Amino acid sequence: MTALGEQTGKIVLPEPLPPLRRLFKHPAMMHYNRLAASVLALNLVALVFALPGGITADFAADASLVNFSLAVLIRRQRLINLLFRLATAAPVTWPLKVRWTLGKVYHFGGLHVGGAVAGSLWFAAFVVLVTVQGAPTAVLVLAYTLTALLIGILLTATPKLRVKSHNRFELIHRFGGWLTLALFWALTVTRVVHSGESLPATPQFWMLVVLTVAVAAPWTRLRRVPITIERPSPHVALTRFTHGRKPFAGSSTAISRSPLREWHSFANIPAPDEHGFRLTISRAGDWTGKFIDDMPSHVWVKGITTAGVANIETLFRKVVYVATGSGIGPCLPHLLAQEVPALLVWATRNPRVTYGDKLVDEILAVQPRARIWDTGSHGKPDMVDLAYAAYRDFGAEAVICISNKKLTWQVVHGLERRGIPAYGAIWDS
């Protein structure tokens, strides 16, 4: 272990990329936004091709449901795991630029945003068309109710409102989404009844069947499971689970104490020689604070474990993990699995006091060269400098940062604009 305290000597970062290449490394141009823009662009192309023949209400309804299907399905756990499996199947002999791009697979949420926005716009076009055509009153009532609901969901999902009131966003997104699906069913059935068509003969029917199954599937695996908690300090709870199969390294589990209200995801920490797995839950708000203070005996889980950002490590020959505080949790399973040569840089306050000797010794057993910075003794370091120094000294191909939003983006974009592959969560859930 290298116990870092003061950064000795000046760490000289590489020069930034040329302006044009650096432009594509700007946060506004990240792959998440590119994917959202691509979905909107494809819909614009579809609109251009459809215009000469005229846009019908049925076409707008179909286009709306296709986009909403994309928005919903791309968030399904099994599809997420499949995307990660396909992206990380590339061998390390492929060009670094290709693997660099494949590593951005976790930006798939851009497809969710693009599909939701495009679907809402197509539905607005549908509402205008059925209004002009003088559709039956029942159709219009359902259409305008759905419009108001979609506007509410989109507004509360904007970044500022979502951060300001995340619990409200989660409730509106969940219950509003379920109500939206129910209203789409009612609207589709009502239109088919008035048209005299057969319901199974319409594409809307089958799209709604797929969406309903996709939304319901995780809830069929809802269960209340026992846990044991070790609290080495008032800041953190090491929570152990022994139910079901051992999750794969780099996956996460969503847990809840009230399944209809709010869910929180944490990285699974399976140990190769132990049954079950652990979650590291740090005090970071009302929910985590109450969890640590109350230490429940059971929690709710649903669905399956889902791949997280650090799974992209297998695309590279060597990686550097940069973590602050409880960010060590998502890193630890990969360090324990030792699938890829890695070097840990960890900045945290009084690590042995906060997380306990047992956990720190477990880390050092697999990372004897770990670079640990005690912020309690030496203050906060420049994490971009530490990350680059580790990347340079270790001969790594990529950096994976697990920290708070501000610092993660600071490290990721600070390195990427200098031509270094870097990855970190994007907080779009």
Side-chain angles (χ1 to χ4, degrees):
M1 176 187 72
T2 304
L4 299 175
E6 298 177 4
Q7 288 170 273
T8 57
K10 179 65 177 176
I11 297 174
V12 180
L13 296 172
E15 289 295 319
L17 295 169
L20 184 59
R21 289 186 62 194
R22 193 164 69 245
L23 174 65
F24 287 94
K25 302 302 178 185
H26 190 278
M29 293 293 290
M30 66 180 177
H31 289 73
Y32 184 94
N33 294 336
R34 294 186 211 178
L35 287 173
S38 297
V39 173
L40 295 175
L42 287 174
N43 277 275
L44 185 59
V45 170
L47 175 63
V48 170
F49 275 98
L51 276 176
I55 303 295
T56 65
D58 281 337
F59 182 89
D62 289 346
S64 176
L65 273 177
V66 166
N67 279 281
F68 282 131
S69 296
L70 171 64
V72 171
L73 295 177
I74 201 64
R75 289 293 197 192
R76 297 307 93 189
Q77 296 164 317
R78 293 189 186 278
L79 182 55
I80 293 171
N81 289 343
L82 176 61
L83 289 174
F84 271 91
R85 193 172 297 117
L86 293 173
T88 57
V92 294
T93 54
W94 283 18
L96 181 58
K97 286 186 178 180
V98 175
R99 291 179 283 133
W100 189 344
T101 301
L102 288 173
K104 300 296 183 180
V105 60
Y106 62 95
H107 286 252
F108 60 81
L111 297 175
H112 171 79
V113 172
V117 172
S120 298
L121 292 174
W122 278 114
F123 190 77
F126 164 80
V127 172
V128 171
L129 290 169
V130 294
T131 301
V132 171
Q133 293 169 1
T137 301
V139 170
L140 293 177
V141 169
L142 288 168
Y144 278 97
T145 303
L146 254 172
T147 301
L149 185 57
L150 289 172
I151 291 173
I153 292 174
L154 288 176
L155 287 177
T156 55
T158 55
K160 287 186 178 180
L161 289 179
R162 188 173 63 201
V163 171
K164 184 178 180 180
S165 186
H166 189 272
N167 289 345
R168 183 179 302 169
F169 151 75
E170 188 176 342
L171 288 172
I172 291 174
H173 222 63
R174 179 177 301 116
F175 290 106
W178 292 349
L179 182 56
T180 297
L181 182 58
L183 289 174
F184 261 116
W185 269 111
L187 178 60
T188 301
V189 171
T190 302
R191 292 188 71 223
V192 169
V193 168
H194 280 88
S195 68
E197 292 182 84
S198 168
L199 186 60
T202 63
Q204 294 100 319
F205 170 78
W206 293 107
M207 283 188 278
L208 286 172
V209 168
V210 170
L211 286 177
T212 302
V213 171
V215 169
W219 293 92
T220 63
R221 297 175 62 89
L222 178 69
R223 56 204 184 280
R224 188 169 178 261
V225 299
I227 58 174
T228 57
I229 298 176
E230 178 184 349
R231 192 175 64 183
S233 74
H235 177 72
V236 64
L238 304 178
T239 308
R240 182 174 293 278
F241 293 73
T242 56
H243 72 282
R245 297 170 57 185
K246 180 182 292 189
F248 59 92
S251 62
S252 63
T253 292
I255 65 173
S256 177
R257 300 179 71 174
S258 179
L260 291 179
R261 296 193 60 187
E262 57 182 315
W263 288 83
H264 297 265
S265 290
F266 300 92
N268 300 319
I269 309 176
D273 57 346
E274 292 182 5
H275 176 61
F277 62 99
R278 292 161 291 166
L279 306 181
T280 302
I281 300 176
S282 293
R283 190 180 298 273
D286 293 341
W287 191 91
T288 51
K290 186 176 180 181
F291 187 96
I292 293 170
D293 293 336
D294 291 352
M295 293 199 298
S297 61
H298 292 73
V299 294
W300 292 90
V301 296
K302 66 179 174 70
I304 61 174
T305 54
T306 312
V309 57
N311 278 271
I312 56 93
E313 68 165 6
T314 56
L315 285 167
F316 306 100
R317 292 182 176 88
K318 289 183 175 182
V319 298
V320 168
Y321 279 100
V322 176
T324 61
S326 59
I328 190 62
C331 302
L332 186 53
H334 296 283
L335 301 176
L336 293 174
Q338 296 182 304
E339 291 185 34
V340 177
L343 176 63
L344 172 66
V345 178
W346 185 25
T348 187
R349 178 180 294 275
N350 305 323
R352 290 190 177 276
V353 173
T354 304
Y355 296 93
D357 288 330
K358 184 179 178 181
L359 183 66
V360 174
D361 289 339
E362 185 178 13
I363 294 169
L364 294 178
V366 292
Q367 278 286 302
R369 297 171 59 194
R371 302 184 176 189
I372 300 178
W373 182 293
D374 184 348
T375 59
S377 300
H378 305 288
K380 296 181 179 180
D382 187 320
M383 293 304 294
V384 177
D385 283 0
L386 290 186
Y388 172 69
Y391 165 86
R392 176 197 63 200
D393 299 344
F394 191 55
E397 287 190 317
V399 173
I400 300 172
C401 181
I402 309 295
S403 182
N404 58 62
K405 184 175 182 178
K406 181 180 178 181
L407 198 144
T408 297
W409 284 23
Q410 179 184 337
V411 170
V412 170
H413 298 302
L415 295 176
E416 290 246 326
R417 67 193 298 269
R418 291 178 167 84
I420 299 171
Y423 305 88
I426 49 180
W427 285 274
D428 66 326
S429 61

